[in-house]
Amino acid sequence: MRSSPLVVVLAGGLSHERDVSLRSGRRVAEALRATGLEVLLHDVDADLLSFLRTTRPDVVWPLLHGASGEDGSVRDVLDMVGLPYVGTGPRASRLVWNKPISKSALLDAGLATPDYVTLPQSLFRDLGAQPVLDTILRRIGLPLVVKPTEGGSALGVTVVTRAEDLPRAMVECFSYGETALVERAIDGVELAVSVIEGADGPEALPAVEIVAEGGYDYAARYVAGETEFFAPARLTAEQAELVSDVAVRAHRALHLRHLSRTDLILDGAGTPHVLEVNVAPGMTEMSLLPQAVAASGHDLPTLYRAIVDRALVAAR
């Protein structure tokens, strides 16, 4: 018999976000060990299934970013093996992983999200690149944002303010995926609102405000000193309540579980526009969810332990 639950933290994988995942995994493993839990850190490789069957952990925490980690596939495998895990199930994960589909679900729930179009790379070959680019500019206008329909950490994302920069932005996007999401750029305060499920349901942590002079790209997210964060965000009480409500509504509308993070822009008119929702938020020393936890006054290891305990209870 184990003296305390055994947690396996999955980190690494083969996506573009492998390094971020490894950093997240190490941070969470350290925090959980501080609460007295036995924690093993494991990569996603050919040894994983035999390791899980032999070890039979009490719960698994997938801290995988990018493909397989957030598209529901690893969670499908955990369900097949019969192991409880922290986070959203495979079906809802797949919905969130595909940005256009999740944006449709958010719109159905009455939440605002920037106007957008979805364009596969093959369309540019079939119709000719320039006519499609001209149509994008007429339809969406400038400034606009080009991003892969799947992926995270702002990889392949470009803010376009000049028409002549749009072709390069599309090429950059297609280097990370076959389909591009092109959406209107919203001017306002960039915020991230993390949601944690407690005994009374999902609750929002204090919003974190992001100030990145050159845009919140990969370097701005993970290189110290590139970005200024305000936790809690510099909002009025009414604004803070509004964005918290939006994040909780997004969590519920997308059928998420245990934890999530909603990224949004609060425009000058006071309307929050949801950019995307994350089922596997980063947990590095610079990540937004840990900053929100600190701003809330919660102890990080204690909160992570509570998340694990909820996964354990749900599995019984």
Side-chain angles (χ1 to χ4, degrees), residues 51-73:
F51 170 79
L52 292 175
R53 290 193 181 101
T54 302
T55 309
R56 296 305 301 180
D58 296 287
V59 67
V60 177
W61 191 328
L63 276 164
L64 301 161
H65 307 313
S68 78
E70 296 181 67
D71 67 1
S73 55

Side-chain angles (χ1 to χ4, degrees), residues 33 218 294 308:
R33 290 186 184 114
Y218 187 90
V308 167

Side-chain angles (χ1 to χ4, degrees), residues 10 65 77 87 103 127 187 208 221-222:
L10 298 183
H65 307 313
V77 169
K103 282 166 78 77
L127 302 183
D187 186 33
V208 178
R221 291 165 188 249
Y222 303 115

Side-chain angles (χ1 to χ4, degrees), residues 125-200:
R125 293 193 295 267
D126 295 341
L127 302 183
Q130 196 57 52
V132 176
L133 294 173
D134 292 341
T135 304
I136 291 171
L137 291 169
R138 285 195 296 268
R139 169 69 174 79
I140 301 295
L142 292 173
L144 56 79
V145 180
V146 179
K147 62 178 73 171
T149 56
E150 299 175 341
S153 290
L155 294 168
V157 178
T158 305
V159 178
V160 178
T161 58
R162 304 184 308 165
E164 56 264 37
D165 294 332
L166 182 55
R168 180 184 54 79
M170 300 304 301
V171 170
E172 173 71 10
C173 176
F174 288 136
S175 69
Y176 287 94
E178 286 294 315
T179 306
L181 173 69
V182 183
E183 65 183 11
R184 180 167 289 123
I186 305 296
D187 186 33
V189 181
E190 189 163 1
L191 302 164
V193 185
S194 299
V195 172
I196 303 292
E197 290 188 2
D200 299 322

Side-chain angles (χ1 to χ4, degrees), residues 8-69:
V8 166
V9 173
L10 298 183
L14 296 175
S15 80
H16 296 295
E17 299 171 77
R18 174 179 173 81
D19 289 344
V20 179
S21 173
L22 289 170
R23 288 164 59 183
S24 291
R26 286 193 291 267
R27 298 281 291 188
V28 170
E30 291 168 3
L32 292 177
R33 290 186 184 114
T35 70
L37 289 174
E38 183 181 355
V39 183
L40 298 176
L41 196 62
H42 202 285
D43 208 331
V44 177
D45 53 25
D47 176 58
L48 179 60
L49 281 174
S50 61
F51 170 79
L52 292 175
R53 290 193 181 101
T54 302
T55 309
R56 296 305 301 180
D58 296 287
V59 67
V60 177
W61 191 328
L63 276 164
L64 301 161
H65 307 313
S68 78

